[in-house]
């Protein structure tokens, strides 16, 4: 029997896999027309208001809110695993100071895989353990990469602090205020998970070959780096700074749109309404700008939003999670280079959850490409080539 005869009929071609479902999931749900995001069925607004990063991570990983005891045990396991090996710090120190931080953290997570004796064990038990290690160590890696790039001494994690407070502490050496801790915690919650986005898809493509969870997360970090995905937060703030004053906004936006340039932090494949995460972040950007007495960035951002909605809101283009997050980070004194790594450190929770969920239904990803090349070429000896 010929191979052709046994081949299944190809499904329609969808550039960028738009509208294609590649797996089933019970982790999160997005209603893009109405700007709704649910984590395990719970609205993101409720979670952002009442929960914290540790509890939300448990919810995403295990599928339900923890009891008090489960949360205490989970929190203790995260705290126990925050340290990273000195050898890894040496590797981070070897990078040139102008290396993009995403290269550093991608390498660091890959390096941690090489040090984990259970790296090759793909049982659910081992993968839950490894997820806890990855989630716990990620902020230490991001902070160490940032501190070393800035030429300062690495600050070891403080196990008396929450994940969010400890991260801010490792970034600056100063314990954050309760307000700063709450804002950082909420930002981390808002970035934990977001369905089958490009980086999550990357992670499940990698695990579908039965590689290992560190390889899957490393793939995801590489994918998140790009400006069309997690890299947009840094670009959005650079744009706000480049525009400089509110009076320059209209001309900047109109020029960009006329030249078919994307405005970073706007638009989404799934949301055709206001991203609910951006709404929460806009509130924080406003309140922090007021309390810091610096309204210049937020005024420009809100003017960009107004003009974008006027011009392209009809096409379903609104601010996404990456538009206001940069302003919030800058008021927390976090350098721009660390914005996308922070996105990655929080999203590691969603990546780990998807990797484990996909393994339960695993089938290797092996799509096809529509061949548009020649079918009648012949080998030409090198001397006869023009
Ligand atoms: N600025 C101006 N026009 C836009 C934008 C934007 N940010 N986003 C989409 N459009 C226009 C685009 O020009 C196109 O117009 P037309 O139909 O007239 O040619 C239409 O909207 C559809 O755009 P698309 O690029 O085909 O949409 P997509 O679903 O392939 O891409 C996207 C989605 C998020 C990559 C895109 O909106 C974009 O590049 N946005 C800017 C980068 C960004 O903010 N990324 C973060 C995404 S959310 C968080 C995350 O995933 O990390």
């Amino acid at each position: 029997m010929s191979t052709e005869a046994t081949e299944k009929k190809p499904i329609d071609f969808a550039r960028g896999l738009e509208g294609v479902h590649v797996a089933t999931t019970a982790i999160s749900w997005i209603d893009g027309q109405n700007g709704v995001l649910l984590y395990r069925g719970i609205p993101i607004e409720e979670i952002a208001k009442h929960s914290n990063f540790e509890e939300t991570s448990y919810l995403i990983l295990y599928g339900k809110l923890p009891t008090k005891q489960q949360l205490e045990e989970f929190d203790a396991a995260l705290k126990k695993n925050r340290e990273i090996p000195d050898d890894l710090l040496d590797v981070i120190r070897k990078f040139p100071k102008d290396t993009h931080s995403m290269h550093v953290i991608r390498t660091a997570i890959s390096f941690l895989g090489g040090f984990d004796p259970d790296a090759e064990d793909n049982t659910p038990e081992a993968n839950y353990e490894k997820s806890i290690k990855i989630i716990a160590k990620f902020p230490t890696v991001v902070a160490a990469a940032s501190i070393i790039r800035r030429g300062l001494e690495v600050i070891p994690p403080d196990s008396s602090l929450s994940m969010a407070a400890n991260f801010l502490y490792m970034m600056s050496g100063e314990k954050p205020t309760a307000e700063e801790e709450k804002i950082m915690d909420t930002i981390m919650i808002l970035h934990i998970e977001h369905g089958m986005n490009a980086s999550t898809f990357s992670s499940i493509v990698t695990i579908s070959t039965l590689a290992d969870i560190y390889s899957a997360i490393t793939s995801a970090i590489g994918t998140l780096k790009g400006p069309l995905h997690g890299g947009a937060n840094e670009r959005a703030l650079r744009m706000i700074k480049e525009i400089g004053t509110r009076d320059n906004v209209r001309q900047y936006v109109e020029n960009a749109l006329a030249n078919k340039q994307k405005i970073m932090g706007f638009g989404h494949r799934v949301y055709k309404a206001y991203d609910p995460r951006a709404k929460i972040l806009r509130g924080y950007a406003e309140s922090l700008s007021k309390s810091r007495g610096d309204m210049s960035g937020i005024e420009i951002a809100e003017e960009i939003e107004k003009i974008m909605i006027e011009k392209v809101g009809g096409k379903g283009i609104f601010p996404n999670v990456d538009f206001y997050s940069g302003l919030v980070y800058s008021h927390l004194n976090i350098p721009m280079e660390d914005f996308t790594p922070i996105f990655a450190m929080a999203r590691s929770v969603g990546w780990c959850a998807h990797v484990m969920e996909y393994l339960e239904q695993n089938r290797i990803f092996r799509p096809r490409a529509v061949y548009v090349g020649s079918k009648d070429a012949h080998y030409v000896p090198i001397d006869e080539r023009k």
Side-chain angles (χ1 to χ4, degrees):
M1 200 188 287
S2 81
T3 336
E4 300 244 315
T6 58
E7 234 172 349
K8 288 185 186 160
K9 196 172 168 290
I11 297 167
D12 284 349
F13 168 51
R15 193 174 289 281
L17 294 183
E18 181 163 7
V20 175
H21 293 90
V22 296
T24 58
T25 185
I27 301 173
S28 68
W29 183 72
I30 304 165
D31 173 352
Q33 295 303 326
N34 295 303
V36 174
L37 170 61
L38 309 179
Y39 283 179
R40 299 282 187 187
I42 306 174
I44 189 68
E45 294 81 0
E46 279 181 36
I47 294 180
K49 189 164 176 201
H50 301 295
S51 189
N52 59 33
F53 178 79
E54 289 82 343
E55 187 184 56
T56 308
S57 299
Y58 186 101
L59 171 72
I60 291 293
L61 287 175
Y62 296 95
K64 59 182 178 50
L65 286 167
T67 62
K68 203 163 177 291
Q69 190 191 339
Q70 285 167 335
L71 183 57
E72 278 168 13
E73 285 168 10
F74 183 65
D75 184 42
L78 287 172
K79 284 185 168 139
K80 199 178 101 194
N81 281 290
R82 282 181 185 169
E83 303 271 348
I84 56 175
D86 286 344
D87 285 346
L88 176 53
L89 291 174
D90 289 342
V91 169
I92 296 175
R93 287 191 186 98
K94 289 204 164 69
F95 279 95
K97 293 284 177 283
D98 59 354
T99 304
H100 194 289
S101 312
M102 288 296 277
H103 287 297
V104 181
I105 65 151
R106 191 192 59 237
T107 305
I109 297 299
S110 177
F111 180 94
L112 286 172
F115 272 67
D116 192 330
D118 298 327
E120 309 308 321
D121 185 348
N122 261 336
T123 58
E125 299 72 30
N127 277 335
Y128 276 109
E129 289 295 314
K130 285 181 279 178
S131 298
I132 289 173
K133 289 187 215 167
I134 291 169
I135 295 162
K137 291 183 195 314
F138 221 120
T140 317
V141 166
V142 173
S146 174
I147 283 274
I148 290 170
R149 190 189 65 240
R150 288 182 272 144
L152 304 171
E153 279 300 304
V154 171
I155 299 151
D158 179 337
S159 62
S160 70
L161 300 174
S162 68
M163 291 286 279
N166 177 55
F167 175 67
L168 289 175
Y169 168 67
M170 292 187 296
M171 288 288 282
S172 66
E174 280 176 31
K175 299 206 172 140
T177 63
E179 187 203 18
E180 289 165 343
E181 178 180 0
K182 170 68 186 158
I183 292 175
M184 190 65 218
D185 187 74
T186 310
I187 289 209
M188 287 163 68
I189 290 176
L190 296 178
H191 285 87
I192 278 183
E193 156 61 11
H194 207 239
M196 198 46 66
N197 52 82
S199 56
T200 300
F201 181 49
S202 251
S203 74
I204 65 166
V205 168
T206 301
I207 206 65
S208 82
T209 69
L210 299 182
D212 68 284
I213 197 164
Y214 287 97
S215 298
I217 304 307
T218 306
S219 295
I221 298 169
T223 308
L224 186 77
K225 176 173 179 282
L228 297 187
H229 193 5
N233 51 16
E234 183 184 332
R235 304 290 177 105
L237 188 65
R238 283 191 198 283
M239 173 183 70
I240 290 169
K241 289 192 181 297
E242 187 193 326
I243 293 176
T245 68
R246 183 158 55 178
D247 291 345
N248 294 339
V249 172
R250 182 166 289 277
Q251 199 188 2
Y252 182 97
V253 172
E254 287 179 352
N255 275 350
L257 293 179
N259 292 314
K260 288 257 162 220
Q261 271 169 26
K262 297 272 179 71
I263 298 290
M264 292 292 130
F266 280 82
H268 201 275
R269 176 66 64 77
V270 185
Y271 290 120
K272 299 302 165 199
Y274 210 111
D275 181 333
R277 302 166 300 171
K279 243 181 232 171
I280 298 172
L281 288 170
R282 177 179 163 160
Y284 280 133
E286 279 168 358
S287 63
L288 267 176
S289 302
K290 276 191 199 123
S291 67
R292 301 286 201 248
D294 175 7
M295 299 301 286
S296 58
I298 188 74
E299 280 174 6
I300 295 170
E302 289 181 341
E303 187 71 5
I304 298 173
E305 175 183 320
K306 191 182 110 198
I307 295 169
M308 280 296 279
I309 293 178
E310 174 193 313
K311 300 272 170 197
V312 288
K315 285 208 275 185
I317 298 171
F318 293 92
N320 60 49
V321 71
D322 288 325
F323 189 57
Y324 287 104
S325 60
L327 269 178
V328 178
Y329 294 136
S330 71
H331 285 306
L332 294 174
N333 298 320
I334 294 173
M336 262 192 252
E337 293 82 349
D338 300 317
F339 294 178
T340 313
I342 292 173
F343 189 154
M345 94 187 178
R347 184 57 60 83
S348 65
V349 179
W351 292 332
C352 289
H354 279 277
V355 162
M356 291 188 285
E357 185 185 61
Y358 192 74
L359 275 175
E360 289 170 15
Q361 51 179 300
N362 190 52
R363 189 165 189 219
I364 190 169
F365 279 100
R366 203 327 181 170
R368 303 283 295 268
V370 178
Y371 183 67
V372 294
S374 163
K375 287 186 180 165
D376 61 359
H378 293 284
Y379 184 80
V380 180
I382 196 161
D383 294 341
E384 293 170 27
R385 290 178 211 160
K386 300 236 165 72

